[in-house]
Structures are given as C-alpha cells and as structure tokens.
C-alpha cells in the first residue's frame, strides 16, 4: 500500500515495530545479564590484575582499576555497553537491511542466499546458496538454544528463590517444554496475532520494571550514571576494540569473543525477522531505529539494573548480589527494593515471555529459510522447528549447562562470520544499484 507522495505504508505501527525489534534482538539476554555483567566486571576490576607464571589470571577488562570504586564502575559499564550497544545491533542491521533490499526491492526470496545475488548471480540457486542457508539455519538454531537455555536457568532460579521450587535440571526441562508449547500456539497464530501481541506485552512489563527500579532505586545515581556510562564507553572504546597486544585475555577471549559469536549466530534470525517487520520503512528510518533506539534502551537498562546492584555494594555494603549465582543476581538485587515479591515475579514473567517471543521469531525465520523464502509456510513446519529448538536447548543444558550453551554459540558463530563479511560487500553493491528515488523498503515487488 502506498501513501501520498510515493511512500509505502509500513506494515506495523511504531509501537509494534519497536516492541518486536527489542523483544527479538535482546530479550532474555538483558534479563540474564542486566545485573550480572556490570557486577562481574566491577568486581574483577576492583580486584585488580593477578599474575601467575607471567600470565594474567584475572577476568578484569583492560588494566582493571584496583581499589578504585568509581573508576571500576565506569570501566565495568563501558565494557558492558561495548557488548550490548551499537556492535550487536550493527550486526543485525547489516543482515536486516540486505535482506530487505534484495527481498522487497529486488524481488528475491526472503532468505539468506538472496543477499549474495550481486556476487553469485544465478548461482545462489545452486549449492553455494544451499550452503549459505544451511549455515544460517544452524547458526539460528544454536544461537536460539543458547538464549532459551539462559532463560530457562534464570526462570528456574527465580522460581526457586521466590517459591522454593527445586532449581534443577527437571525444573528447567519442564519450563522449556511448557514454554515451547505456548510458543507453538503463538507461532500458529502468526506474526500479527501472536508475536506482535506478546512483544507488546513484553515492552509494557519491561518498561514498568525499568521505571520501578529507576524511581525506587538510586534515581540520581542511575540517571547520572547513564550519561557517565556513555562517556566512559566512548573513552574506553578504542582500547576495548583493539584486538592486538591485549593482556586481558580472559576478558577479551571469554566475554567479548562469546558475545560476538552469540550476536553473529543470532544475526540471520534477528536480521530476517527485522527485515520481515520493516516493510514500508525508509532506509534512514530503518537504520536510526535499528541502531540507535535499541542501543540507548540497552544502555539505560544496564545503567538502571547494573548500576543499582553496584550502588548496593558500594554505598550500603550489601554483598548479596556480588556473591549470588549469575542467574540469581537480578532477584537478589530486587529483594533489596520495595515490593520485592511482586517485582521478582514480574521478572520471571518477563523471562518467560521473552523466551516465547524469541522461540516464535526464530521458528518463523527458520521456517522461512527452509521453505525457500516463503513467508507463509505450512503450520506443521513451524511447529516442527519450534520443537527442535526446545529439544536442542534441553540437550545442551543436560550435556554441560551454561558452558555447553556458550561453546555451541561460539562454534556456530565462527563460520557464519565469513558469510557476514562477504555480505557487507554485497549490500554495498546492492545499494549502489538502488535508484535514489526509491527511499522505502517496499511492501511489494515491482
């Protein structure tokens, strides 16, 4: 549908669009790492560097900030924003914009092989295209399984913390099975009725929880910390981005390498989903929305949740968050604020609903790839892929827990990195051939 002036009417409103962007791209990760990552970096930075046989054994970013609470907080937030800000969304934007251009404006199927048409031409219909799509499916499956496993472990930990339910493999398995069944119902309902409504519910609950923490927590610390964290990020960015001559091997190879592989493994899934919901948006509008808005929301989220946890340790001497397991740190932090039982329950609900929307979005994307770019593939096929995702998450959790989930994300992210690098060149060629007058990602071909 076309609006006056030659522009195309977007498929979704701004609210629905932003909700689905945020839920698909970050969801479970922000819930799991919102408190734990800033706190982990802060603790390691405060502890300073440690050497053994001439090799650093600590996990602090860069040169740490031994004993300096203020600088440790700045360094920890800079490192966290480095992992959760522009970099992951830039990866998503490359895939999403390329798919949108080649699918909506060039008339190719909405599948990863279409990105490589300027390079491979008609060969994308042969074995090179098959390999690209297969890599995309495996990257999406195991990237999603990592997130689903993290979500299940945090939801189980929260239920154990609040209600005393045993926090073990059986609980996590039952959670994954139950939530996968709900996700299947949502998938069958489709993007408009299922994924969109769940994403909007996510946004409402997430921003209510965020607003609560800002208002009843250390409000001034959070708001000033937001801007200070952005400044710290800019200050430390060159050093954090430099891959050469690093002494902080545990941080750069443990934290950063895992995140880059995780984001890359998510890129075919998130990128294709973003492309699918962005028809009718201009390229400028698309890039601003995909790069800046979610990045700033992520920084505010980390400043509020991570900053509150660090403030509780530094100002009140409360060590509960620091000493808790990663999956419990959100709930321990909330326990020090008013209405702890209610907010912790909302946190569990958010993890569960993010879990469902991730499974929904991922299943729809894998379904589209395996159907050769068909947006409306048979419903039994959608059900099959949602079931497979749940089974993989269960297998990885039982096989090695968090370490197995992270290892699988890294393993699948590495080969797909090569695909993305070639895709960057391809998208430049595609945009150079696009007429300047064609400013929107068209909802139809022609």
């Amino acid at each position: 549908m076309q609006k006056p002036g030659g522009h195309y009417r977007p498929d979704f409103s701004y609210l629905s669009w932003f909700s689905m962007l945020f839920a698909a791209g970050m969801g479970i990760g922000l819930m799991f790492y919102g408190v734990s990552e800033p706190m982990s970096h802060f603790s390691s930075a405060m502890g300073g560097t440690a050497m053994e046989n001439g090799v650093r054994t600590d996990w602090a970013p860069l040169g740490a900030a031994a004993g300096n609470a203020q600088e440790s907080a700045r360094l920890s937030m800079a490192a966290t924003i480095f992992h959760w800000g522009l970099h992951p969304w830039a990866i998503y934007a490359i895939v999403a914009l390329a798919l949108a251009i080649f699918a909506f404006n060039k008339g190719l199927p909405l599948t990863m092989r279409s990105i490589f048409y300027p390079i491979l031409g008609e060969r994308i219909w042969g074995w090179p295209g098959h390999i690209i799509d297969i890599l995309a499916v495996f990257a999406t499956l195991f990237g999603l399984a990592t997130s689903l496993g993290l979500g299940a472990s945090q939801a189980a930990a929260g239920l154990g913390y609040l209600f005393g339910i045993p926090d073990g493999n059986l609980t996590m398995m039952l959670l994954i099975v139950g939530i996968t069944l709900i996700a299947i119902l949502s998938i069958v309902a489709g993007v408009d009725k299922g994924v969109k409504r769940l994403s909007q519910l996510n946004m409402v609950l997430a921003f209510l929880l965020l607003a609560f923490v800002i208002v009843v927590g250390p409000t001034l610390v959070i708001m000033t910390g937001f801007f200070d964290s952005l400044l710290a990020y800019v200050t430390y960015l060159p050093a954090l981005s430099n891959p050469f001559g690093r002494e902080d091997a545990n941080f750069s190879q443990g934290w950063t390498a895992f995140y880059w592989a995780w984001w890359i493994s998510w890129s075919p899934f998130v990128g294709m989903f973003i492309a699918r919901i962005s028809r009718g948006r201009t390229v400028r509008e698309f890039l601003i929305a995909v790069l800046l808005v979610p990045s700033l929301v992520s920084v505010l989220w980390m400043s509020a949740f991570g900053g509150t946890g660090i403030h509780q340790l530094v100002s009140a001497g409360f060590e509960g968050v620091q000493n808790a397991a990663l999956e419990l740190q959100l709930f321990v932090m909330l326990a020090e604020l008013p209405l702890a039982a209610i907010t912790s329950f909302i946190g569990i609900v958010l993890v569960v609903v993010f879990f469902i929307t991730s499974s929904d979005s991922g299943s729809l994307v894998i379904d589209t790839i395996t159907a050769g770019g068909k947006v409306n593939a048979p419903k039994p096929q959608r059900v099959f892929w949602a079931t497979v995702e749940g089974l993989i998450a269960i297998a990885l959790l039982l096989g090695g827990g968090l370490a197995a989930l992270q290892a699988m994300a890294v393993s699948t992210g590495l080969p797909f990195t090569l695909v993305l690098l070639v895709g960057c060149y391809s998208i430049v060629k595609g945009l150079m051939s696009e007429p300047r007058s064609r400013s929107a990602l068209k909802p139809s071909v022609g």
Side-chain angles (χ1 to χ4, degrees):
M1 188 178 294
Q2 211 170 358
K3 292 189 293 185
H7 295 290
Y8 293 86
R9 188 182 301 280
D11 286 359
F12 299 98
S13 66
Y14 276 117
L15 179 61
S16 298
W17 189 39
F18 286 142
S19 299
M20 289 189 281
L21 278 177
F22 189 73
M26 289 295 164
I28 292 173
L30 285 180
M31 295 300 296
F32 192 92
Y33 287 108
V35 176
S36 61
E37 184 171 353
M39 179 60 75
S40 296
H41 296 329
F42 175 80
S43 300
S44 58
M46 276 287 286
T49 59
M51 304 292 292
E52 186 174 322
N53 299 323
V55 178
R56 271 184 65 173
T57 56
D58 62 274
W59 286 76
L62 302 178
N68 187 334
Q70 182 178 1
E71 196 56 33
S72 292
R74 294 183 76 251
L75 180 56
S76 67
M77 291 307 302
T80 302
I81 295 170
F82 177 59
H83 293 149
W84 290 88
L86 285 171
H87 286 73
W89 287 100
I91 293 171
Y92 299 158
I94 288 170
V95 177
L97 182 59
L99 282 169
I101 291 292
F102 291 114
F104 303 142
N105 290 22
K106 305 291 187 183
L108 294 171
L110 187 63
T111 183
M112 287 301 299
R113 69 177 71 198
S114 298
I115 296 176
F116 295 84
Y117 189 82
I119 298 173
L120 298 175
E122 295 299 318
R123 284 177 294 173
I124 64 169
W125 312 118
W127 65 265
H130 298 330
I131 290 176
I132 291 166
D133 279 352
I134 289 170
L135 283 174
V137 168
F138 276 102
T140 300
L141 275 175
F142 290 110
L144 270 172
T146 301
S147 299
L148 301 186
L150 291 176
S153 64
Q154 188 175 34
L159 290 171
Y161 186 77
L162 276 182
F163 305 113
I165 298 173
D167 178 14
N169 287 335
L170 178 60
T171 302
M172 287 189 283
M173 285 176 59
L174 291 175
L175 275 170
I176 292 174
V177 170
I179 296 171
T180 300
L181 290 175
I182 300 172
I184 287 172
L185 294 176
S186 176
I187 289 166
V188 171
V191 175
D192 283 334
K193 294 180 180 178
V195 179
K196 185 177 79 172
R197 291 175 182 174
L198 282 172
S199 297
Q200 289 172 341
L201 174 62
N202 264 344
M203 284 289 285
V204 172
L205 289 177
F207 278 97
L208 282 175
L209 186 60
L210 176 62
F212 175 82
V213 171
I214 292 173
V215 171
V216 306
T219 307
L220 184 61
V221 171
I222 292 171
M223 298 314 297
T224 56
F226 171 77
F227 296 102
D228 190 45
S229 297
L230 285 174
L231 180 60
Y233 167 66
V234 174
T235 303
Y236 283 111
L237 180 60
L240 289 169
S241 303
N242 177 29
F244 306 108
R246 296 284 290 266
E247 297 179 1
D248 54 343
N250 283 337
F251 171 79
S252 60
Q253 297 174 21
W255 283 94
T256 303
F258 161 65
Y259 275 125
W260 286 179
W262 192 15
W263 303 142
I264 289 169
S265 69
W266 262 49
S267 63
F269 143 53
V270 179
M272 188 174 294
F273 184 73
I274 291 173
R276 184 171 175 177
I277 64 175
S278 298
R279 287 188 297 184
R281 302 289 175 187
T282 66
V283 172
R284 182 184 294 107
E285 187 180 30
F286 174 90
L287 289 175
I288 290 173
V290 175
L291 287 176
L292 297 183
V293 175
S295 296
L296 290 174
V297 171
S298 297
V299 174
L300 181 58
W301 185 279
M302 293 296 186
S303 299
F305 286 80
T308 299
I310 292 172
H311 178 77
Q312 290 173 350
L313 174 63
V314 175
S315 298
F318 176 68
E319 298 181 355
V321 177
Q322 185 181 38
N323 296 332
L326 289 181
E327 60 269 20
L328 269 177
Q329 289 187 352
L330 169 66
F331 304 108
V332 176
M333 182 276 286
L334 291 174
E336 293 300 297
L337 302 177
L339 305 175
I342 296 174
T343 54
S344 294
F345 182 73
I346 290 174
I348 295 172
V349 172
L350 266 173
V351 171
V352 169
V353 181
F354 273 132
F355 193 143
I356 296 169
T357 51
S358 294
S359 180
D360 278 359
S361 310
S363 299
L364 289 169
V365 164
I366 294 173
D367 189 50
T368 301
I369 296 174
T370 54
K374 295 179 182 177
V375 174
N376 296 311
K379 290 181 180 179
Q381 190 169 315
R382 303 181 195 175
V383 173
F384 170 78
W385 287 114
T387 305
V388 169
E389 289 163 21
L391 291 174
I392 291 175
I394 290 173
L396 290 174
L397 276 173
L398 295 179
L402 181 60
L405 293 168
Q406 292 175 331
M408 187 54 67
V410 172
S411 300
T412 53
L414 179 61
F416 203 74
T417 304
L418 302 176
V419 175
L420 280 186
L421 289 173
V422 179
C424 290
Y425 172 72
S426 185
I427 191 175
V428 171
K429 290 194 69 173
L431 284 171
M432 288 176 67
S433 67
E434 189 73 4
R436 285 184 174 272
S437 60
R438 192 181 286 173
S439 60
L441 304 174
K442 299 198 298 182
S444 59
V445 179

